[in-house]
Amino acid sequence: MSMSDLLPLVAAALNDEAAVDAAKELATAREERDTSHKVEVLRAINDGDDKVYEDGETIVYGSALFEDGQYHSRNEDDWKIQLNKSRNICRLEDLRDCQICVGGGIAIASLDELSNESHGWVNGDETDHPDLDGDACSIKIEFCPQSTILTFFIRGWPEAEWKAVMEEEDAYAEHDIIPFLVENVAVQYPEAIVEFKSIKFSAKKIHGALKRLLPPKRKEQVRADREKRKIAREGRQEVVEFVESNMRERGIFDLFHWMAIVVLILGIQKRSEFFDRVIEALIAKCERSGMFTMEEANKIMSTMEEKQCSEDLGSDDEKSPK
């Protein structure tokens, strides 16, 4: 084989090598970019004192990209980031060594010691995380004045035990919840582990980050979602205010909160001529007989829907040519 015959093979090999190198550089750049945009819960291992050890191991327990968060479904003033669970297991006894970090490891909050303004509480099974199951117990920590809230689960703490703690008023001081969990619960249940679930920021505190880190399309999407929720919330507020004014006029305001819940369960999320009539019918029923069942409320709603359909059909017949 002549040299000229080998040239295409050499060129192809060089091109392949260049493509591989380019792919590696791209992957490295993407990893560096993602690291700088990450929100993480991690633990830095040292020799047990306050010195900084550059060679100490760092263990990540949960992480997510800042831009993968979203405005909270119940409060559009909060930016909530769901953390991806890592393969590393955090023992409850190691909770004090954990930190919330951004930008590749810059600590913005520490679980070592809460300030006097910061506090936490045992939330039990009351959580908006659907994967709470078994004997897992939800814990919330609010770091002040940043208004940053960390939610994590404890697994291996028996349900009967954490429910007893929730019922006992003086079981722990809210600003001392970390010492309580580490020095009491972890000692009793050394196999207990922690799963970090989410971090919630006050949108006002991170406004600059939201503007700089969200890609344009993502920014448009979250802004639109936020506006939809805001409109829905304002619509619900108008409904509640309509219920309130009507019940005050009829002198049955003591049942207002119950009636407001009934109306929202029925799916009345905004005011309209039809929904106003339904609300007035429900309030009239309440005035006559007090509290009633959801079955009765649904029956009133269904009857009025049928009546509305009949009226609409009659209106169409009148408009049709003879």
Side-chain angles (χ1 to χ4, degrees):
M1 181 179 291
S2 65
M3 183 62 70
S4 59
D5 294 329
L6 292 174
L7 285 176
L9 297 176
V10 173
L14 290 174
N15 285 335
D16 287 345
E17 186 177 350
V20 170
D21 289 342
K24 287 181 179 178
E25 290 179 7
L26 183 61
T28 300
R30 186 179 290 115
E31 184 178 354
E32 290 175 352
R33 174 261 182 197
D34 285 351
T35 298
S36 66
H37 285 210
K38 276 183 179 178
V39 178
E40 300 173 300
V41 177
L42 55 81
R43 174 174 170 242
I45 306 298
N46 56 36
D47 286 348
D49 54 32
D50 293 332
K51 295 180 181 179
V52 176
Y53 290 88
E54 294 181 357
D55 296 330
E57 185 182 1
T58 298
I59 302 174
V60 177
Y61 294 123
S63 68
L65 292 176
F66 179 86
E67 53 265 40
D68 285 344
Q70 59 185 346
Y71 286 107
H72 196 275
S73 58
R74 293 197 297 269
N75 185 354
E76 63 270 8
D77 292 329
D78 290 334
W79 183 256
K80 184 177 181 180
I81 301 172
Q82 301 280 5
L83 297 173
N84 300 312
K85 181 181 176 182
S86 79
R87 290 176 293 182
N88 299 315
I89 295 176
C90 178
R91 296 179 302 174
L92 182 57
E93 65 181 8
D94 294 329
L95 187 62
R96 270 186 170 144
D97 297 329
C98 296
Q99 300 173 326
I100 299 176
C101 296
V102 297
I106 302 171
I108 60 171
S110 173
L111 290 171
D112 182 21
E113 189 173 323
L114 300 183
S115 65
N116 291 333
E117 297 84 9
S118 301
H119 58 282
W121 58 96
V122 179
N123 222 35
D125 54 7
E126 298 176 11
T127 179
D128 51 3
H129 291 278
D131 57 340
L132 183 67
D133 56 9
D135 65 353
C137 175
S138 172
I139 307 289
K140 286 187 181 293
I141 307 290
E142 181 171 6
F143 300 92
C144 297
Q146 302 97 329
S147 298
T148 300
I149 297 179
L150 170 68
T151 299
F152 59 86
F153 293 172
I154 296 178
R155 297 190 184 275
W157 185 13
E159 183 177 358
E161 295 294 326
W162 57 254
K163 281 189 173 180
V165 167
M166 292 182 69
E167 292 172 1
E168 186 180 343
E169 290 186 7
D170 300 326
Y172 62 92
E174 290 191 347
H175 64 275
D176 285 332
I177 187 170
I178 301 300
F180 169 74
L181 293 174
V182 174
E183 297 170 12
N184 292 70
V185 179
V187 171
Q188 285 183 283
Y189 304 99
E191 301 301 317
I193 62 172
V194 175
E195 290 180 14
F196 296 99
K197 306 304 293 186
S198 66
I199 298 173
K200 189 166 61 176
F201 296 97
S202 169
K204 294 178 182 179
K205 302 286 187 180
I206 57 169
H207 182 64
L210 288 172
K211 289 180 67 176
R212 296 182 65 190
L213 297 182
L214 294 186
K217 288 186 178 180
R218 173 74 172 137
K219 195 181 298 183
E220 291 176 9
Q221 178 189 359
V222 297
R223 186 180 291 124
D225 290 343
R226 184 183 186 186
E227 289 303 313
K228 286 178 184 176
R229 286 194 294 273
K230 185 178 180 181
I231 291 170
R233 187 180 68 174
E234 290 173 351
R236 290 192 296 272
Q237 183 62 32
E238 289 179 0
V239 169
V240 170
E241 289 174 356
F242 183 70
V243 172
E244 178 183 5
S245 63
N246 274 267
M247 296 191 77
R248 282 189 185 278
E249 288 176 5
R250 294 173 183 263
I252 51 174
F253 185 69
D254 56 321
L255 295 176
F256 158 66
H257 292 289
W258 168 77
M259 178 58 72
I261 292 171
V262 169
V263 168
L264 294 176
I265 288 176
L266 286 173
I268 302 176
Q269 303 288 326
K270 61 181 180 179
R271 288 189 61 187
S272 68
E273 184 178 345
F274 171 71
F275 283 145
D276 284 358
R277 292 204 304 270
V278 172
I279 291 171
E280 288 168 351
L282 292 167
I283 293 174
K285 167 74 173 174
C286 181
E287 186 178 22
R288 290 192 305 271
S289 54
M291 296 176 66
F292 48 86
T293 65
M294 281 306 303
E295 183 179 355
E296 292 174 296
N298 281 309
K299 187 175 181 180
I300 292 172
M301 181 85 157
S302 299
T303 300
M304 297 195 69
E305 285 175 342
E306 291 172 3
K307 184 179 179 181
Q308 179 70 38
C309 288
S310 297
E311 291 175 356
D312 292 342
L313 288 172
S315 176
D316 291 342
D317 289 341
E318 291 176 3
K319 292 178 182 179
S320 61
K322 302 291 185 181

